Amino acid sequence: MEVLTNIPFELDADHLAGRMHIKPESREADDFYRLVERAGEVGNPKAVYKESYIEEGGEDTVTIDGVIFESRVLRTNLEGIGRVFPYIVTCGNEIDDADLSEGDFLKNFWLDCIKEEMLKASRLYLRDLLQQKYKLGKTSTMNPGSGDAAVWPIEQQKKLFSLFGDVEGLIGVTLTESSLMKPNKTVSGIRFPNEVGFETCELCHREGCPGRRALFNKELWETMQSGKEH
Ligand code: SF4
């Protein structure tokens, strides 16, 4: 297991202001630029990952490092694969702990966008590190709770966390009773070699999602329902 802290990130205040339609001459611009500066000082994106091995697969289950995950899609995607990389990446708890929004609704909204940038930095940093260190070739990732509820139920987040032990002590991330992660800009998942290029969005019926990365794939959906390999 490896823990990564102080992952480098850059906050382009002008770009972020543009995304939030904040005009440079507006009253709120000063507050916004100060907030970006403070977030840049306080922020500490982090990640934890491990090199894990698949022990066995059942009809709808796959066992990784002794933990049984229940997801037909995960099991199918990991067919024939021996090694995977469970991970948790986060914007870091420091922004929330510093209470930079001071309870202000608008600042809270801005901070969410800033934290999203830090999370993005963590994700890309870990993805590139894994590529360079393990020479993985093409990879895909699956995340508990992403896509339709049955793809990989969010409750399995607890099992994923159990692969790492004290996640809060390692990178400051906690799980709520309903399996949501805190800080909110945190992603957990398993990265695995995949030449085909799997995206969970292919198995997600949600319409109008601004984050969609691939069209819904009816054929793949039906294949996954029947349990056949794709
Ligand atoms: S379509 Fe949207 S909600 Fe569905 S898996 Fe993709 S990003 Fe997530």
Side-chain angles (χ1 to χ4, degrees), residues 22-192:
I22 298 170
K23 294 199 166 56
E25 69 279 7
S26 66
R27 256 190 326 143
E28 58 199 12
D30 276 355
D31 282 349
F32 178 75
Y33 278 83
R34 254 196 306 275
L35 196 64
V36 174
E37 192 179 342
R38 282 292 292 139
E41 291 162 1
V42 172
N44 181 358
K46 305 179 194 69
V48 60
Y49 77 90
K50 63 188 299 198
E51 186 181 5
S52 293
Y53 291 88
I54 296 173
E55 286 153 11
E56 60 179 328
E59 191 182 343
D60 290 342
T61 63
V62 58
T63 306
I64 299 171
D65 286 354
V67 177
I68 302 171
F69 292 94
E70 290 141 36
S71 160
R72 176 172 292 181
V73 179
L74 183 67
R75 198 273 298 158
T76 307
N77 269 331
L78 300 187
E79 189 78 45
I81 293 173
R83 185 178 62 169
V84 295
F85 296 87
Y87 66 87
I88 303 169
V89 290
T90 177
C91 67
N93 54 302
E94 287 76 7
I95 300 282
D96 288 351
D97 292 350
D99 191 23
L100 299 182
S101 71
E102 299 167 322
D104 183 286
F105 179 80
L106 184 58
K107 285 184 183 170
N108 222 15
F109 171 71
W110 291 342
L111 273 175
D112 251 14
C113 193
I114 292 166
K115 284 157 60 182
E116 186 75 46
E117 287 294 298
M118 294 178 182
L119 171 61
K120 189 172 154 194
S122 293
R123 294 174 81 150
L124 295 178
Y125 186 88
L126 179 62
R127 186 200 63 186
D128 293 348
L129 182 144
L130 293 178
Q131 289 292 354
Q132 284 164 18
K133 188 167 175 182
Y134 298 98
K135 312 279 183 263
L136 295 180
K138 282 190 188 165
T139 60
S140 291
T141 181
M142 280 190 66
N143 319 94
S146 276
D148 282 8
V151 171
W152 190 7
I154 194 167
E155 292 75 20
Q156 305 254 321
Q157 198 86 267
K158 293 189 178 78
K159 293 191 170 191
L160 189 55
F161 269 54
S162 75
L163 292 174
F164 297 101
D166 180 13
V167 176
E168 183 173 12
L170 293 171
I171 56 168
V173 173
T174 56
L175 266 187
T176 67
E177 277 299 307
S178 48
S179 297
L180 297 175
M181 293 179 284
K182 284 186 167 181
N184 60 342
K185 299 301 176 186
T186 299
V187 172
S188 70
I190 293 178
R191 186 165 285 280
F192 52 91

Side-chain angles (χ1 to χ4, degrees), residues 146-147 200-201 204 206 209 211-213:
S146 276
T200 308
C201 303
C204 180
R206 185 177 296 186
C209 172
R212 182 174 281 283
R213 297 176 299 277

